[in-house]
Amino acid sequence: MTAQILDGKKISADIRAELARKVEALPGDIMPVLAVVLVGDNEASRIYVRNKQRAAAEVGIGCEVLEMNESIGENALLATIAELNENPHVNGIIVQLPLPGHINPLKILSAIRPEKDVDGFNPYNAGLLACKEPEAVVSATPRGILKLLQSTGESLAGKHAVIIGRSNIVGRPTAMLLLNHDCTVTITHTKTRNLP
């Protein structure tokens, strides 16, 4: 078996082109809208949000960024999520992580309606993924990893996947996704002995 370099940029461009065609084919003046909630002034988060705005524009969907002061209270943030849940013009919601320490991320992510939960972080969507339900919303990075692996044309069934990291954002959902595609999965993390 020889190593293979996977061209993520090419695959990403192909996916975006396909999405742009699908958005363009929507009837009438329908335009999907993504709402991104950004709390605080984390520079890495700002860069990530700018990238989301750029990608949304590229495929032809709206992207509204709601910037909140780092001192916002949990109840005020929950009220914002409730408004976005009820807004018929908002199709998807992302709360950019990390959140300030005084806000419980699970409480906030649980408040996003599962059908508007673009990241798949709502416990309902995470549960659907764990139960191998096809309607589970899966976050972008694990889904991107799967697309990269599938681009090789190799069957994933029976392969041994080793994942370094157990975060709820990448490691755990990637493990579930690969397990759902019949991989044998080993998860390693900061307490794994002799990781090299």
Side-chain angles (χ1 to χ4, degrees):
M1 185 172 171
T2 44
Q4 183 178 356
I5 296 174
L6 305 178
D7 189 348
K9 288 185 179 182
K10 162 102 172 64
I11 294 166
S12 173
D14 291 345
I15 291 170
R16 287 181 183 181
E18 175 62 23
L19 286 173
R21 284 191 291 276
K22 287 181 178 181
V23 170
E24 192 174 331
L26 289 172
D29 57 354
I30 294 175
M31 183 209 266
V33 174
L34 172 66
V36 180
V37 179
L38 177 61
V39 181
D41 199 24
N42 179 309
E43 186 54 32
S45 291
R46 287 193 174 284
I47 292 168
Y48 201 63
V49 168
R50 278 196 302 271
N51 289 339
K52 288 175 187 176
Q53 288 176 297
R54 194 174 301 119
E58 189 177 328
V59 300
I61 67 172
C63 184
E64 298 176 5
V65 178
L66 290 82
E67 295 192 32
M68 310 285 174
N69 191 290
E70 187 160 338
S71 63
I72 189 172
E74 197 170 79
N75 288 337
L77 187 51
L78 286 169
T80 298
I81 300 298
E83 287 174 21
L84 294 171
N85 280 334
E86 295 303 320
N87 186 335
H89 301 292
V90 171
N91 304 93
I93 303 168
I94 291 175
V95 174
Q96 183 62 47
L97 299 177
L99 291 170
H102 66 280
I103 296 176
N104 179 340
L106 182 59
K107 194 170 184 180
I108 300 303
L109 298 173
S110 298
I112 300 171
R113 280 193 186 154
E115 65 273 15
K116 289 191 176 189
D117 173 31
V118 173
D119 274 332
F121 295 157
N122 179 294
Y124 179 79
N125 281 321
L128 288 178
L129 177 61
C131 292
K132 198 178 177 180
E133 290 297 324
E135 68 267 15
V137 176
V138 181
S139 59
T141 301
R143 187 179 296 260
I145 290 167
L146 180 64
K147 289 280 189 191
L148 276 171
L149 294 173
Q150 289 173 329
S151 76
T152 66
E154 290 279 327
S155 170
L156 295 177
K159 296 286 195 287
H160 184 192
V162 178
I163 297 170
I164 301 174
R166 57 182 168 179
S167 73
N168 290 338
I169 296 172
V170 179
R172 290 174 197 258
T174 301
M176 283 292 119
L177 200 54
L178 293 177
L179 187 62
N180 291 348
H181 282 81
D182 301 318
C183 288
T184 299
V185 178
T186 300
I187 302 176
T188 65
H189 46 78
T190 56
K191 303 293 186 226
T192 300
R193 292 182 181 162
N194 303 316
L195 183 56

